Amino acid sequence: MTMKSAEGHRALGPSAGVFVALMILVGLNLRPALSSLAPLLPRIEAQTGLPLLAIGALTTLPVLCLGLFAPLAPWLSRRLGAERTLSLALLVLALGLVMRGLAGSAGLFAGTLLVGAAIGVAGTLLPALVKRELPAGADLMTGVYTMALCLGGALGAGLSIPLADGLGGWPRALMSWAALAALALAAWQAWMPTPVRRPPPSPRTGNTRALLGQPLAWQVTLYMGCQSSLAYIVFGWLPTLLVARGHGEAEAGWLMGVSVMVQLGSALAAPWLARLGRDQRPALALVLCLVAAGFWVLLEGPLAWRWGGVILLGLGQGGGFSLALSLIVLRTADARLAGKLSGMVQGGGYTLAALGPLGVGVMLDLGLALSTISGVLLGVVAAAGAFALLAGRDRRLMTDEAGRLTVR
C-alpha cells in the first residue's frame, strides 16, 4: 500500500487539540485503579482478614491481567475498530471499579481482574491511535499521554485515604473512580475519531509471529517488562516498604504520592530529551540511574534523604515509562505495525512485570531484610539497563516490498 492510499484509510476525526484532550482524559483513568489500592491495603487486610499472600496476589492480579489481555487489543481492533474497542475497555473499567466495592472479597478480586483487563486493552490501543492521528509528533504526544497516566496515578495514591474517610470506607473509595471512567467514556463516544472506511487486511504490515522472530521487538518488550516491574512494585508495595524502614503510615503515603506526582515532569520531558541525541540510549541510561539512586536512598540511605529519594525515583520512573511507550512508535514504521508491537510489548512486558509485586510480597512474607529486597530491585534496574542499551539504538521495524518484516 502506498503512502497516498494509506492516507485514504486514515480516520475522519476531531482536531488535533480535541484528540489530545481525549487522550489525556482516557490516560487519567489508566492508573488510579492501580495506585488507589496500595494506601488502602492495611484497611483491606484488617477488615477482610485476607492473609498477606492474598493481599500480594491482589497487587499482582491487575498487572498480570495487563499482560494477558493486552494482546487481545489488536484482535478486537480488527473486528470492532480501535474506537469501539476503546469504548468497550472504558465500559469494562467502570464496571470493574464498581464491582471492587461490592460483594466483599470476591467482588474485590473479580473487579480487580476486570480493571486489569480493561487497562491492558486500552493501554495497548492508545500508542497506535497516537501514531495514526498524530504521526509527525507521535513520540512527543506519547509523552503527553504518559504525563496523564502519571497524574492519574498520583491522584489515585493521594486521594485514596481522604476518599475512604470522606465516603465511609475503602469500598466506596475504590468505587468512586468509576465516575471518572464514565466521564471518559461519554467524551470518547461523543468526539472519538471515525474511520472513513475499514482497510482490507494486509500482510504487508507484518504480524505477531514475524515480530516474535525480531530481536528488536524482544529488546523493547524486555525493557518494558523490567521497568514496569519496578513501577508496579512502587504502586503495590512502596508504602509498606517505607513503613518497614521506619516511616509512619501517613508519611509513607505522602512519599509515594510525591514520587508519582514528580513523574509528571519527566514523563513529558523524556521524549524531548531523547530527540537530542542520535538514539535513545543516553536518555534511557539517565532515567535508569535516577531509578537506582532513588531506590537506594529510600531503602538504604539516611532517613533524612527520603524526600530527595522519592524525587529521584519519580523522575526516573516517569521518564523510563514514557521512553518505553515512545520506543513502540519510534521502532515502527506505520500505525498498524505500532499496534502489533504495542500488543507484544505490553502483553509480554506486563506479564513479566507481574512477577515484581508478587516477588516482593513473597520476600516480605518470608521476612527477608530490606537490604536483600533493595539488592533485588537494583538487579532489576541493571537488567533494564542492559535491554535499554539494545532497544535504544536507532533502528526501525518495517516491511519491505516483498512483505517481509525487516529492521533498518
Side-chain angles (χ1 to χ4, degrees):
M1 180 181 294
T2 66
M3 181 63 69
K4 184 176 181 180
S5 62
E7 289 296 320
H9 293 302
R10 288 190 60 192
L12 178 64
S15 67
V18 172
F19 177 75
V20 171
L22 288 172
M23 181 178 64
I24 291 173
L25 183 56
V26 173
L28 284 173
N29 280 274
L30 303 188
R31 287 300 176 269
L34 307 176
S35 63
S36 62
L37 191 61
L40 297 172
L41 287 179
R43 299 188 185 194
I44 294 173
E45 182 180 7
Q47 293 183 22
T48 62
L50 291 171
L52 186 60
L53 280 179
I55 294 294
L58 191 61
T59 65
T60 303
L61 180 61
V63 188
L64 181 60
C65 288
L66 292 182
L68 294 178
F69 287 90
L72 283 179
W75 183 83
L76 289 170
S77 183
R78 287 195 302 270
R79 284 153 180 78
L80 303 178
E83 298 76 18
R84 291 180 180 176
T85 301
L86 186 55
S87 294
L88 178 62
L90 289 171
L91 176 61
V92 173
L93 175 61
L95 293 175
L97 288 166
V98 171
M99 187 178 293
R100 288 210 299 187
L102 301 175
S105 300
L108 181 62
F109 278 91
T112 299
L113 187 151
L114 290 179
V115 162
I119 295 174
V121 171
T124 303
L125 287 173
L126 284 173
L129 283 168
V130 171
K131 182 84 170 180
R132 189 190 74 186
E133 295 294 315
L134 304 167
D139 55 334
L140 300 183
M141 288 303 101
T142 299
V144 175
Y145 157 64
T146 308
M147 183 182 69
L149 290 178
C150 296
L151 177 58
L155 291 174
L159 295 178
S160 286
I161 299 301
L163 285 172
D165 292 339
L167 297 176
W170 62 263
R172 291 182 180 178
L174 293 178
M175 291 172 62
S176 66
W177 294 103
L180 184 60
L183 176 61
L185 175 59
W188 181 255
Q189 283 289 106
W191 294 297
M192 66 181 177
T194 303
V196 176
R197 64 183 188 272
R198 297 283 299 278
S202 171
R204 298 186 62 180
T205 56
N207 53 51
T208 303
R209 182 176 297 178
L211 281 176
L212 292 175
Q214 290 292 340
L216 178 58
W218 281 106
Q219 291 155 13
V220 178
T221 299
L222 292 171
Y223 167 70
M224 169 67 90
C226 290
Q227 72 84 29
S228 294
S229 177
L230 296 169
Y232 289 108
I233 287 171
V234 169
F235 280 137
W237 291 111
L238 183 61
T240 302
L241 295 174
L242 292 176
V243 169
R245 185 81 206 279
H247 302 292
E249 287 187 358
E251 186 181 27
W254 278 111
L255 286 166
M256 176 183 170
V258 168
S259 179
V260 178
M261 182 64 73
V262 169
Q263 293 181 19
L264 296 175
S266 59
L268 186 59
W272 292 90
L273 178 64
R275 283 192 169 195
L276 297 179
R278 295 181 58 186
D279 56 39
Q280 288 71 51
R281 286 177 292 181
L284 288 163
L286 174 61
V287 298
L288 289 172
C289 286
L290 292 174
V291 171
F295 274 125
W296 182 87
V297 168
L298 289 173
L299 300 182
E300 298 290 326
L303 293 178
W305 295 3
R306 60 193 181 280
W307 292 104
V310 296
I311 290 173
L312 291 173
L313 182 62
L315 289 174
Q317 292 202 305
F321 182 60
S322 182
L323 289 172
L325 293 181
S326 295
L327 289 176
I328 295 173
V329 298
L330 290 172
R331 299 286 92 90
T332 52
D334 59 73
R336 184 172 294 184
L337 188 53
K340 294 180 184 296
L341 181 61
S342 182
M344 175 180 172
V345 168
Q346 299 199 56
Y350 287 137
T351 301
L352 176 62
L355 297 176
L358 177 63
V360 171
V362 171
M363 287 188 286
L364 288 172
D365 191 56
L366 293 175
L368 298 185
L370 277 180
S371 58
T372 301
I373 297 175
S374 176
V376 171
L377 296 182
L378 293 178
V380 177
V381 176
F387 295 122
L389 291 177
L390 297 171
R393 294 174 295 173
D394 186 14
R395 299 186 176 186
R396 178 176 291 189
L397 292 160
M398 59 180 60
T399 50
D400 60 19
E401 293 299 324
R404 295 185 297 255
L405 188 63
T406 61
V407 176
R408 295 180 184 173

